[in-house]
Amino acid sequence: MRFYQGIRSLILTILRKILFLWVRTDVSGNNAESLGLNPDKPVCYVLQYSSLSSRLVLEQEVIRVGLPGATESLPVKNGPSHSFFFLYRRIGGLFSGGRQTPVPTTEFKSLVRYGLEHPDQDVQIVPVSMFWGRSPDKEKSLVKLLLSDTWSVAGRLQKFLIIMVHGRNTYVQFNQPLSLKQVIDEYRHSEERANRKLARLLRTHFRRVRQAVLGPDLSHRRTLVEGLVRTQAVKEAIRETAARDDIPPEKVRAKAYKYADEIAASMSVVTIRFLEVVLSWLWNRIYNGIAVNNIKVAKEVAQDNAVVYVPCHRSHIDYLLLSYVLYKNGLMPPHIAAGINLNMPIVGPILRRGGAFFMRRSFRDNPLYATVFNEYMHVMFSRGYSVEYFVEGGRSRTGRMLSPRPGMLSMTVRSFLRDHRKPIVFVPVYIGYEKVMEGRSYLGELRGKKKQKESVFGLAKTARKLTNSFGRVAVNFGEAIPLADVLDDVHESWRQEAYDAEYRPAWLTRAVDQLSLRVASNINASVAVNPIGMTATVLLGTDRLAMDEGQLIRLMDQYAGLLKAFPYANTVTLPEGSGKDWVAYCEDMGLVTRQPQKLGDIIALEGSNAILMTYYRNNIQHLFALPSLVASLFENKDSLRRDKIVFLATVAYPYLQSELFLKYSADEVEGVINHWIDILVEQGLLEALEDDRIGRPEEGTEAMLRLRVLSRFIIQTLERYHIALGILRKYGSGKISAAELEEQSTLLAERMSILFGLNAPEFFDKTLFRNFIANMQENGVITTDDNGLINYGEGLEEVADDARLVLSVEKRQAIQQVTMLGA
């Protein structure tokens, strides 16, 4: 018997080596740590379909990384002869696909039987999914149909051809183990029911993984485009457009078809695989590595939902980077909403085949286009496709999260209301660069230079930068947001109402607003802190943008300690190493300069780098917003009562929350501020005095320096608020409109940035002043009369007086000179 087993093992080993002369695999989850395997319990692997080639690949990957062996017998008495089994038994002829039925195999039954007979022992069952090539589409080509690993089950001949064509692009995914004991515990009286339960769990698991990896079946693009024109909503839009513009319906229908053809993606497996190879080369060329964090969020929700990936938008690279990361981690690349400006020669067709669908910047005045686009989006969501779009609209030139635009979010909500059989889940994604490729062009735009139109020649210029190193990049996945949960919060009875393509319920705006805030705050709650951001934050908090190296290192270590003492969110990632490592790294990247000095080297920001570094400071500014706000209250005060600190901080918080998309609600922020006060006292930045007073350290001490630099992290934002308040008080209640206040505030802020050498371009950003004025209205601090003039009461006067706590004497005087206010 042993002789025959040895011969069999030898034959399988030879076949495995022959197979892997051709086969190349991409594997995820294949280590004991990520699987969470208990070394004291036996392991049994399960594959979905009976297949010799799949068995050989499993054995090879298990051997490669040193997992418990798949070729050995389970170390349990009377268990299966091997530590793996197939869930489905093959039925059919040699060359037919046959019919795969979920009938438990002999190994499966013996494993369950062993579990029932030995209730004190457990087996870890590890499901392993295998894909020979990953095709998301149905093609017209018979060859591609035969040779694609889709939802159908391949016969032996087809499987052989698939291996020959796609064997070098094989994806293997090891998944979290199931506990045999836990699964069958409740059915110890019935072996049949225990078999059914475990089989059902495994079938469901394999289906969900397959959904996430392959995505839903796609129709051929031409069929999809033609189907859009035949939808009831588009037909009505065609009739209305023809009647309104007096154009024959046939011409309008042709225009609708042209719109649909302009919009629709044409995802191609060949292009995706080509892009994977090209992008692998590109990332290795320009980056020192890609850190992917919390990818499990995307993997989990992709199995049962239509996923909307909503990343922050920092660079054109974002489009490619997220799709690459998802594909490399075994997920279907999403359909990506791209601006029509990217549909340029050469590049446009490649992006379209990579999953991009194109949209015009504005189509408010084109109802026919709007209807076609809405119907296309509805097809995407109702069929369960994953979609990606940028809620900010355009790229952030300042490094901050921009205010979300409601357009795409509103379309998504309206589509879901029409058909909510397929759940929609938003997955926020933070993409953090140590050096953004467009950084220098952003500087030009912030200084007033006109934004350059995208073109092939522009991309050719960008290609010259590929010899540069842009450091590392982080892709952090945030906490998922089920759309149904948001709608439940806003309007509990939404499921009971009827919706069509044109219906916009009265509460739609509230739902979109709440959704947009949750998306933005969850993106910010997934920020990746890196050495560049930490160095920029501290150096920009100094008066001369320079500091003794030893002091700079100590401050960075201490501020990193603050982030660890009260973590903003468990999805935030912090850099490895210490302040010393970060300074050296920034110097290597050419972002800081070193001035040797006998008493200690000085690290400084010079030239355009001083402005460029505000971009990276702004990436993480929200993490320090509340402790910095507390610290800023001691700029001109030796001590304050704790309740005064909390009051002033809570008054300022709604404006900071709106601008920086902070995650804390109005109900919890008071407790958070108190907690930060306690931490600042523990860390020695503040002191607890008698009568519940909090004091600052003595002038000239290291602790006072730490507190003052910390306050500078947010103080420019507070100064901007005071500028608007000062101008409003200069004119008086009922004397100035919101537009005039915005304009006057912008001019004064620009003047102060010149006078005081402020390097933050967003200091005089009109949009931020507009947002602040709108928030004062929303919070009832100001009102607008019938003539559009702003009115306010005594409450604003008190807040304005308290706000002066954060201003230096010089800046108070500068504002007074312009506003002619008394001290």
Side-chain angles (χ1 to χ4, degrees), residues 36 97 116 125 134 192 215 248 293 335 339 423 426 428 498 543 556 598 606 680 683 722 752 769 820:
L116 295 174
I125 301 174
R134 289 190 279 167
E192 182 182 354
N293 299 294
H335 286 69
F426 289 83
D543 289 328
M556 284 201 290
K598 289 184 179 180
E606 293 182 351
L680 293 176
Q683 301 273 337
H722 191 75
M752 288 184 63
F769 281 111
M820 295 180 293

PDB file of all heavy atoms in Angstrom, residues 36 97 116 125 134 192 215 248 293 335 339 423 426 428 498 543 556 598 606 680 683 722 752 769 820:
ATOM      1  N   GLY A  36      -4.597  33.767  10.193  1.00  0.00           N
ATOM      2  CA  GLY A  36      -4.929  33.601  11.609  1.00  0.00           C
ATOM      3  C   GLY A  36      -4.997  32.141  12.012  1.00  0.00           C
ATOM      4  O   GLY A  36      -5.817  31.754  12.851  1.00  0.00           O
ATOM      5  N   GLY A  97     -18.278  20.157 -20.427  1.00  0.00           N
ATOM      6  CA  GLY A  97     -18.265  20.950 -19.195  1.00  0.00           C
ATOM      7  C   GLY A  97     -19.017  20.242 -18.107  1.00  0.00           C
ATOM      8  O   GLY A  97     -18.737  20.386 -16.932  1.00  0.00           O
ATOM      9  N   LEU A 116     -18.175  15.180  14.060  1.00  0.00           N
ATOM     10  CA  LEU A 116     -19.306  14.791  14.899  1.00  0.00           C
ATOM     11  C   LEU A 116     -18.894  13.752  15.938  1.00  0.00           C
ATOM     12  O   LEU A 116     -19.392  13.761  17.072  1.00  0.00           O
ATOM     13  CB  LEU A 116     -20.435  14.246  14.022  1.00  0.00           C
ATOM     14  CG  LEU A 116     -21.088  15.245  13.052  1.00  0.00           C
ATOM     15  CD1 LEU A 116     -22.085  14.527  12.152  1.00  0.00           C
ATOM     16  CD2 LEU A 116     -21.796  16.351  13.830  1.00  0.00           C
ATOM     17  N   ILE A 125     -10.762  24.814   8.367  1.00  0.00           N
ATOM     18  CA  ILE A 125     -11.050  24.594   6.947  1.00  0.00           C
ATOM     19  C   ILE A 125     -10.755  25.892   6.204  1.00  0.00           C
ATOM     20  O   ILE A 125     -11.421  26.910   6.408  1.00  0.00           O
ATOM     21  CB  ILE A 125     -12.511  24.176   6.741  1.00  0.00           C
ATOM     22  CG1 ILE A 125     -12.810  22.884   7.523  1.00  0.00           C
ATOM     23  CG2 ILE A 125     -12.801  23.983   5.261  1.00  0.00           C
ATOM     24  CD1 ILE A 125     -14.260  22.484   7.488  1.00  0.00           C
ATOM     25  N   ARG A 134      -8.508  36.394 -15.313  1.00  0.00           N
ATOM     26  CA  ARG A 134      -9.674  37.028 -14.691  1.00  0.00           C
ATOM     27  C   ARG A 134     -10.364  37.877 -15.734  1.00  0.00           C
ATOM     28  O   ARG A 134      -9.928  38.963 -16.070  1.00  0.00           O
ATOM     29  CB  ARG A 134      -9.249  37.895 -13.502  1.00  0.00           C
ATOM     30  CG  ARG A 134      -8.807  37.067 -12.336  1.00  0.00           C
ATOM     31  CD  ARG A 134      -8.633  37.944 -11.128  1.00  0.00           C
ATOM     32  NE  ARG A 134      -7.351  38.639 -11.158  1.00  0.00           N
ATOM     33  CZ  ARG A 134      -7.052  39.648 -10.349  1.00  0.00           C
ATOM     34  NH1 ARG A 134      -7.949  40.097  -9.510  1.00  0.00           N
ATOM     35  NH2 ARG A 134      -5.881  40.228 -10.404  1.00  0.00           N
ATOM     36  N   GLU A 192     -26.573  14.484   8.338  1.00  0.00           N
ATOM     37  CA  GLU A 192     -27.058  15.040   7.074  1.00  0.00           C
ATOM     38  C   GLU A 192     -27.184  16.564   7.159  1.00  0.00           C
ATOM     39  O   GLU A 192     -26.762  17.290   6.255  1.00  0.00           O
ATOM     40  CB  GLU A 192     -28.409  14.417   6.724  1.00  0.00           C
ATOM     41  CG  GLU A 192     -28.961  14.922   5.388  1.00  0.00           C
ATOM     42  CD  GLU A 192     -30.326  14.336   5.078  1.00  0.00           C
ATOM     43  OE1 GLU A 192     -30.780  13.456   5.847  1.00  0.00           O
ATOM     44  OE2 GLU A 192     -30.930  14.766   4.077  1.00  0.00           O
ATOM     45  N   GLY A 215     -16.392  40.172 -10.786  1.00  0.00           N
ATOM     46  CA  GLY A 215     -17.447  41.146 -11.032  1.00  0.00           C
ATOM     47  C   GLY A 215     -18.618  40.465 -11.711  1.00  0.00           C
ATOM     48  O   GLY A 215     -18.552  39.293 -12.090  1.00  0.00           O
ATOM     49  N   PRO A 248     -36.417  66.428 -36.056  1.00  0.00           N
ATOM     50  CA  PRO A 248     -36.990  65.093 -36.259  1.00  0.00           C
ATOM     51  C   PRO A 248     -36.511  64.127 -35.178  1.00  0.00           C
ATOM     52  O   PRO A 248     -35.320  64.132 -34.818  1.00  0.00           O
ATOM     53  CB  PRO A 248     -36.445  64.681 -37.639  1.00  0.00           C
ATOM     54  CG  PRO A 248     -36.160  65.968 -38.329  1.00  0.00           C
ATOM     55  CD  PRO A 248     -35.724  66.918 -37.268  1.00  0.00           C
ATOM     56  N   ASN A 293      -3.359  49.597   2.952  1.00  0.00           N
ATOM     57  CA  ASN A 293      -3.845  49.347   4.306  1.00  0.00           C
ATOM     58  C   ASN A 293      -5.358  49.188   4.332  1.00  0.00           C
ATOM     59  O   ASN A 293      -6.084  49.917   3.653  1.00  0.00           O
ATOM     60  CB  ASN A 293      -3.444  50.513   5.231  1.00  0.00           C
ATOM     61  CG  ASN A 293      -1.937  50.687   5.325  1.00  0.00           C
ATOM     62  OD1 ASN A 293      -1.243  49.827   5.848  1.00  0.00           O
ATOM     63  ND2 ASN A 293      -1.421  51.789   4.805  1.00  0.00           N
ATOM     64  N   HIS A 335     -15.451  50.606 -12.759  1.00  0.00           N
ATOM     65  CA  HIS A 335     -15.687  51.561 -13.829  1.00  0.00           C
ATOM     66  C   HIS A 335     -15.444  52.957 -13.250  1.00  0.00           C
ATOM     67  O   HIS A 335     -15.980  53.297 -12.198  1.00  0.00           O
ATOM     68  CB  HIS A 335     -17.118  51.454 -14.345  1.00  0.00           C
ATOM     69  CG  HIS A 335     -17.368  50.227 -15.182  1.00  0.00           C
ATOM     70  ND1 HIS A 335     -17.377  48.957 -14.643  1.00  0.00           N
ATOM     71  CD2 HIS A 335     -17.605  50.076 -16.508  1.00  0.00           C
ATOM     72  CE1 HIS A 335     -17.616  48.076 -15.606  1.00  0.00           C
ATOM     73  NE2 HIS A 335     -17.750  48.733 -16.751  1.00  0.00           N
ATOM     74  N   GLY A 339     -13.241  62.769 -16.494  1.00  0.00           N
ATOM     75  CA  GLY A 339     -13.624  63.972 -17.219  1.00  0.00           C
ATOM     76  C   GLY A 339     -13.411  63.790 -18.711  1.00  0.00           C
ATOM     77  O   GLY A 339     -12.468  63.127 -19.147  1.00  0.00           O
ATOM     78  N   PRO A 423     -27.697  46.120  -2.912  1.00  0.00           N
ATOM     79  CA  PRO A 423     -27.211  47.146  -1.983  1.00  0.00           C
ATOM     80  C   PRO A 423     -26.010  47.895  -2.552  1.00  0.00           C
ATOM     81  O   PRO A 423     -25.186  47.313  -3.265  1.00  0.00           O
ATOM     82  CB  PRO A 423     -26.817  46.339  -0.732  1.00  0.00           C
ATOM     83  CG  PRO A 423     -27.522  45.029  -0.867  1.00  0.00           C
ATOM     84  CD  PRO A 423     -27.634  44.765  -2.330  1.00  0.00           C
ATOM     85  N   PHE A 426     -20.517  52.558  -0.136  1.00  0.00           N
ATOM     86  CA  PHE A 426     -19.416  53.461  -0.469  1.00  0.00           C
ATOM     87  C   PHE A 426     -18.169  53.054   0.313  1.00  0.00           C
ATOM     88  O   PHE A 426     -18.247  52.805   1.521  1.00  0.00           O
ATOM     89  CB  PHE A 426     -19.782  54.907  -0.128  1.00  0.00           C
ATOM     90  CG  PHE A 426     -20.820  55.510  -1.032  1.00  0.00           C
ATOM     91  CD1 PHE A 426     -22.176  55.281  -0.810  1.00  0.00           C
ATOM     92  CD2 PHE A 426     -20.452  56.284  -2.116  1.00  0.00           C
ATOM     93  CE1 PHE A 426     -23.136  55.817  -1.643  1.00  0.00           C
ATOM     94  CE2 PHE A 426     -21.405  56.828  -2.964  1.00  0.00           C
ATOM     95  CZ  PHE A 426     -22.753  56.597  -2.737  1.00  0.00           C
ATOM     96  N   PRO A 428     -14.666  54.737   1.135  1.00  0.00           N
ATOM     97  CA  PRO A 428     -13.751  55.877   1.035  1.00  0.00           C
ATOM     98  C   PRO A 428     -12.307  55.394   0.944  1.00  0.00           C
ATOM     99  O   PRO A 428     -11.930  54.398   1.569  1.00  0.00           O
ATOM    100  CB  PRO A 428     -13.995  56.648   2.349  1.00  0.00           C
ATOM    101  CG  PRO A 428     -15.265  56.084   2.910  1.00  0.00           C
ATOM    102  CD  PRO A 428     -15.339  54.670   2.438  1.00  0.00           C
ATOM    103  N   ALA A 498     -42.557  55.206  -3.996  1.00  0.00           N
ATOM    104  CA  ALA A 498     -42.288  54.809  -5.387  1.00  0.00           C
ATOM    105  C   ALA A 498     -41.478  55.913  -6.070  1.00  0.00           C
ATOM    106  O   ALA A 498     -41.743  57.099  -5.880  1.00  0.00           O
ATOM    107  CB  ALA A 498     -43.602  54.581  -6.132  1.00  0.00           C
ATOM    108  N   ASP A 543       8.697  80.501  13.064  1.00  0.00           N
ATOM    109  CA  ASP A 543       8.659  81.860  12.532  1.00  0.00           C
ATOM    110  C   ASP A 543       9.484  82.002  11.262  1.00  0.00           C
ATOM    111  O   ASP A 543       9.079  82.691  10.324  1.00  0.00           O
ATOM    112  CB  ASP A 543       9.173  82.851  13.591  1.00  0.00           C
ATOM    113  CG  ASP A 543       8.196  83.011  14.752  1.00  0.00           C
ATOM    114  OD1 ASP A 543       6.985  82.906  14.500  1.00  0.00           O
ATOM    115  OD2 ASP A 543       8.649  83.228  15.891  1.00  0.00           O
ATOM    116  N   MET A 556       9.072  66.577  16.537  1.00  0.00           N
ATOM    117  CA  MET A 556       8.327  65.632  15.695  1.00  0.00           C
ATOM    118  C   MET A 556       7.991  64.360  16.462  1.00  0.00           C
ATOM    119  O   MET A 556       6.878  63.830  16.344  1.00  0.00           O
ATOM    120  CB  MET A 556       9.125  65.315  14.430  1.00  0.00           C
ATOM    121  CG  MET A 556       9.086  66.436  13.412  1.00  0.00           C
ATOM    122  SD  MET A 556       9.480  65.898  11.741  1.00  0.00           S
ATOM    123  CE  MET A 556      11.212  65.534  11.921  1.00  0.00           C
ATOM    124  N   LYS A 598      28.311  75.056  13.966  1.00  0.00           N
ATOM    125  CA  LYS A 598      29.075  74.413  15.031  1.00  0.00           C
ATOM    126  C   LYS A 598      28.217  74.067  16.237  1.00  0.00           C
ATOM    127  O   LYS A 598      28.465  73.069  16.927  1.00  0.00           O
ATOM    128  CB  LYS A 598      30.232  75.325  15.446  1.00  0.00           C
ATOM    129  CG  LYS A 598      31.334  75.412  14.402  1.00  0.00           C
ATOM    130  CD  LYS A 598      32.501  76.257  14.892  1.00  0.00           C
ATOM    131  CE  LYS A 598      33.606  76.309  13.836  1.00  0.00           C
ATOM    132  NZ  LYS A 598      34.755  77.125  14.294  1.00  0.00           N
ATOM    133  N   GLU A 606      13.357  76.326   2.051  1.00  0.00           N
ATOM    134  CA  GLU A 606      13.790  77.461   1.251  1.00  0.00           C
ATOM    135  C   GLU A 606      13.070  77.481  -0.085  1.00  0.00           C
ATOM    136  O   GLU A 606      12.663  76.438  -0.615  1.00  0.00           O
ATOM    137  CB  GLU A 606      15.308  77.408   1.015  1.00  0.00           C
ATOM    138  CG  GLU A 606      16.136  77.599   2.275  1.00  0.00           C
ATOM    139  CD  GLU A 606      17.632  77.587   1.998  1.00  0.00           C
ATOM    140  OE1 GLU A 606      18.015  77.260   0.845  1.00  0.00           O
ATOM    141  OE2 GLU A 606      18.406  77.897   2.916  1.00  0.00           O
ATOM    142  N   LEU A 680      -2.876  67.036  26.880  1.00  0.00           N
ATOM    143  CA  LEU A 680      -1.885  68.111  26.819  1.00  0.00           C
ATOM    144  C   LEU A 680      -1.273  68.368  28.198  1.00  0.00           C
ATOM    145  O   LEU A 680      -0.085  68.696  28.307  1.00  0.00           O
ATOM    146  CB  LEU A 680      -2.527  69.386  26.262  1.00  0.00           C
ATOM    147  CG  LEU A 680      -2.962  69.317  24.783  1.00  0.00           C
ATOM    148  CD1 LEU A 680      -3.666  70.608  24.375  1.00  0.00           C
ATOM    149  CD2 LEU A 680      -1.776  69.056  23.872  1.00  0.00           C
ATOM    150  N   GLN A 683       1.141  65.441  28.833  1.00  0.00           N
ATOM    151  CA  GLN A 683       2.342  65.542  28.005  1.00  0.00           C
ATOM    152  C   GLN A 683       3.197  66.753  28.380  1.00  0.00           C
ATOM    153  O   GLN A 683       4.254  66.973  27.779  1.00  0.00           O
ATOM    154  CB  GLN A 683       1.949  65.635  26.523  1.00  0.00           C
ATOM    155  CG  GLN A 683       1.153  64.454  26.019  1.00  0.00           C
ATOM    156  CD  GLN A 683       2.023  63.322  25.529  1.00  0.00           C
ATOM    157  OE1 GLN A 683       3.165  63.519  25.172  1.00  0.00           O
ATOM    158  NE2 GLN A 683       1.483  62.110  25.520  1.00  0.00           N
ATOM    159  N   HIS A 722     -11.144  85.470  11.793  1.00  0.00           N
ATOM    160  CA  HIS A 722     -11.178  86.776  12.447  1.00  0.00           C
ATOM    161  C   HIS A 722     -11.171  87.907  11.417  1.00  0.00           C
ATOM    162  O   HIS A 722     -11.761  88.967  11.653  1.00  0.00           O
ATOM    163  CB  HIS A 722      -9.985  86.927  13.393  1.00  0.00           C
ATOM    164  CG  HIS A 722     -10.096  88.124  14.290  1.00  0.00           C
ATOM    165  ND1 HIS A 722     -10.941  88.167  15.373  1.00  0.00           N
ATOM    166  CD2 HIS A 722      -9.493  89.343  14.237  1.00  0.00           C
ATOM    167  CE1 HIS A 722     -10.842  89.350  15.958  1.00  0.00           C
ATOM    168  NE2 HIS A 722      -9.971  90.080  15.283  1.00  0.00           N
ATOM    169  N   MET A 752      -2.360  90.481   4.086  1.00  0.00           N
ATOM    170  CA  MET A 752      -1.667  90.004   5.282  1.00  0.00           C
ATOM    171  C   MET A 752      -0.661  88.907   4.944  1.00  0.00           C
ATOM    172  O   MET A 752       0.395  88.809   5.564  1.00  0.00           O
ATOM    173  CB  MET A 752      -2.674  89.505   6.311  1.00  0.00           C
ATOM    174  CG  MET A 752      -3.466  90.622   6.963  1.00  0.00           C
ATOM    175  SD  MET A 752      -4.561  90.017   8.270  1.00  0.00           S
ATOM    176  CE  MET A 752      -3.377  89.361   9.443  1.00  0.00           C
ATOM    177  N   PHE A 769     -13.470  81.354   2.486  1.00  0.00           N
ATOM    178  CA  PHE A 769     -14.256  82.442   3.061  1.00  0.00           C
ATOM    179  C   PHE A 769     -15.746  82.238   2.784  1.00  0.00           C
ATOM    180  O   PHE A 769     -16.590  82.476   3.645  1.00  0.00           O
ATOM    181  CB  PHE A 769     -13.797  83.793   2.497  1.00  0.00           C
ATOM    182  CG  PHE A 769     -12.533  84.311   3.134  1.00  0.00           C
ATOM    183  CD1 PHE A 769     -11.349  84.377   2.417  1.00  0.00           C
ATOM    184  CD2 PHE A 769     -12.532  84.729   4.460  1.00  0.00           C
ATOM    185  CE1 PHE A 769     -10.190  84.845   3.013  1.00  0.00           C
ATOM    186  CE2 PHE A 769     -11.367  85.196   5.063  1.00  0.00           C
ATOM    187  CZ  PHE A 769     -10.188  85.253   4.336  1.00  0.00           C
ATOM    188  N   MET A 820     -10.408  99.608  10.676  1.00  0.00           N
ATOM    189  CA  MET A 820     -10.603 100.801  11.510  1.00  0.00           C
ATOM    190  C   MET A 820     -11.438 100.491  12.742  1.00  0.00           C
ATOM    191  O   MET A 820     -12.323 101.274  13.135  1.00  0.00           O
ATOM    192  CB  MET A 820     -11.254 101.928  10.699  1.00  0.00           C
ATOM    193  CG  MET A 820     -10.375 102.434   9.566  1.00  0.00           C
ATOM    194  SD  MET A 820     -11.153 103.749   8.619  1.00  0.00           S
ATOM    195  CE  MET A 820     -12.498 102.868   7.861  1.00  0.00           C
TER     196      MET A 820
END
